[in-house]
Amino acid sequence: MWIFWWSRITIYRKELEKNYTDQLMMISGKMGNKKGMRPLEVTVINQNDVVPWRYPPKYEFLYGEWLRDQFEKGVIPGPTYDPDLTILLTGVKQLMAKGVTCSFIVISCQSA
């Protein structure tokens, strides 16, 4: 499970999202693939949107194989307030409390 934290969003947002999506589609296994490639789910969160905590939380970017058809058509969903993200963040917090290593990448994007 990967959660990316963005502290600032760049003016090249759409270009970045397209680039991330294209790269993720190459390494993420399609549903039911025979190559043993695992489907990826990536959630990008702006840290300022969740610290301090506000409900519902908002993601900046979401990648998942259930969205592949949209991605292949060039449609990339924009930032969305998603109450279900609360469950994901709570689960990560509980795993970390048990000593499970969770992967986070902090991305600080600045305007050009």
Side-chain angles (χ1 to χ4, degrees), residues 4-8 45-52 54 106:
F4 293 83
W5 298 90
W6 286 7
S7 58
R8 283 174 274 167
I45 301 167
N46 183 331
Q47 187 174 6
N48 295 327
D49 288 335
V50 294
V51 176
R54 288 180 293 283
V106 178

Side-chain angles (χ1 to χ4, degrees), residues 5-72:
W5 298 90
W6 286 7
S7 58
R8 283 174 274 167
I9 305 301
T10 178
I11 58 174
Y12 302 109
R13 175 190 192 100
K14 292 298 176 190
E15 186 178 322
L16 278 174
E17 289 174 347
K18 173 86 169 87
N19 188 27
Y20 288 151
T21 300
D22 290 347
Q23 291 181 39
L24 288 166
M25 286 176 59
M26 288 190 299
I27 62 172
S28 180
K30 290 182 181 180
M31 300 289 207
N33 78 81
K34 306 285 187 215
K35 298 178 184 177
M37 294 175 62
R38 296 185 67 170
L40 297 178
E41 180 177 342
V42 177
T43 304
V44 177
I45 301 167
N46 183 331
Q47 187 174 6
N48 295 327
D49 288 335
V50 294
V51 176
W53 178 250
R54 288 180 293 283
Y55 181 86
K58 179 173 88 171
Y59 61 78
E60 295 291 330
F61 173 80
L62 181 66
Y63 179 89
E65 282 302 313
W66 67 95
L67 297 169
R68 184 177 280 269
D69 288 342
Q70 287 183 34
F71 296 146
E72 288 174 343

